[in-house]
Amino acid sequence: MCSGRVDPLFVIEAFRNGADAVMVGGCKLGECKYLEGNFQALIMAEMVRNLLRLIGIREERFTLEWVSSAEPARLVEDMKKFMLKVKDLGPLGSAEGLSREDLKFYLDSAILVCQNMQVRTTYGNIAKEIKKMQDFSLDLMKQKVEEKLLPQLKTRLYEIEVKALIQDGPKSLDFLASKTRASVEELNPILSKLVKS
């Protein structure tokens, strides 16, 4: 499959299913037989890295590597280097200081964010916009993800986490802020919206 077809959901599901790390490999930039597939993978990678940071998982556990099909030895070397880095990090959650229960909570929440239609639409629109501009620079992709997608990732993630946390009864604002890693200012509109609904 083309690296451009790797959905952020696939990466997060791999972590939820027990992977300590995820490597996505693609054709070298400019050599994709689908023309822009690997550039779309760059957008996916930016979304994944942002989401991992938000849920407290070290982004070093995810990598995107470019290699030609004529370079099998390089692919093997890239994989060895990545596996050594992951070995140093240890099992998923340990380097992050997360309990199994917290790790499951954050990954389950991230899965729901990846499935959210507003997030998916924004993600797709960024890819369309960059394709239309024909500017595949990493700086532009990072900028677009930060401007358009990151605020939505935060809002959806915090909504999902707060709803899950208050299912069994009210919680203090301090508890919600510490568990979601959101500021009180970020949580207030979410709590107001929940009270109204």
Side-chain angles (χ1 to χ4, degrees):
M1 149 163 94
C2 175
S3 61
R5 297 288 296 150
V6 177
D7 193 295
L9 181 62
F10 301 165
V11 178
I12 302 300
E13 281 184 335
F15 284 117
R16 187 174 70 168
N17 288 322
D20 290 323
V22 175
M23 173 189 265
V24 174
C27 303
K28 289 184 176 180
L29 295 174
E31 294 181 11
C32 178
K33 76 176 188 177
Y34 300 105
L35 306 177
E36 292 129 3
N38 47 15
F39 291 106
Q40 297 212 8
L42 288 170
I43 301 167
M44 174 274 302
E46 278 306 302
M47 178 175 164
V48 167
R49 286 187 190 105
N50 277 285
L51 195 49
L52 291 176
R53 274 193 298 271
L54 286 171
I55 63 171
I57 292 177
R58 297 186 54 172
E59 62 184 280
E60 297 93 338
R61 292 187 181 279
F62 170 74
T63 193
L64 185 58
E65 296 291 338
W66 310 117
V67 65
S68 165
S69 59
E71 301 175 305
R74 177 160 176 229
L75 177 61
V76 169
E77 191 58 36
D78 288 345
M79 291 178 77
K80 281 181 183 177
K81 284 180 189 173
F82 186 54
M83 290 311 299
L84 288 173
K85 184 193 297 186
V86 173
K87 188 176 180 182
D88 286 343
L89 287 173
L92 181 64
S94 67
E96 294 80 6
L98 297 173
S99 68
R100 281 189 180 277
E101 182 182 282
D102 282 346
L103 184 61
K104 182 181 180 334
F105 170 75
Y106 291 124
L107 287 169
D108 287 349
S109 299
I111 291 286
L112 294 173
V113 170
C114 289
Q115 292 172 339
N116 179 276
M117 285 313 295
Q118 289 174 308
V119 169
R120 294 184 73 74
T121 300
T122 302
Y123 171 72
N125 287 342
I126 291 171
K128 285 179 193 172
E129 183 180 349
I130 287 173
K131 184 176 179 179
K132 186 177 179 180
M133 294 168 67
Q134 288 295 298
D135 180 352
F136 298 104
S137 67
L138 191 54
D139 288 340
L140 178 67
M141 289 181 203
K142 284 183 177 184
Q143 176 197 344
K144 293 294 180 186
V145 168
E146 193 171 309
E147 280 175 13
K148 297 181 177 197
L149 191 56
L150 183 57
Q152 213 171 80
L153 289 175
K154 284 182 172 183
T155 301
R156 296 294 159 251
L157 180 65
Y158 299 154
E159 282 177 1
I160 289 163
E161 289 176 342
V162 166
K163 283 181 184 177
L165 291 167
I166 63 173
Q167 264 184 338
D168 60 346
K171 302 290 187 295
S172 74
L173 191 53
D174 287 342
F175 172 80
L176 294 174
S178 109
K179 193 75 169 173
T180 63
R181 299 184 179 92
S183 69
V184 171
E185 292 77 26
E186 290 170 316
L187 288 178
N188 278 332
I190 293 167
L191 294 170
S192 296
K193 184 179 169 184
L194 289 174
V195 167
K196 290 176 186 174
S197 61

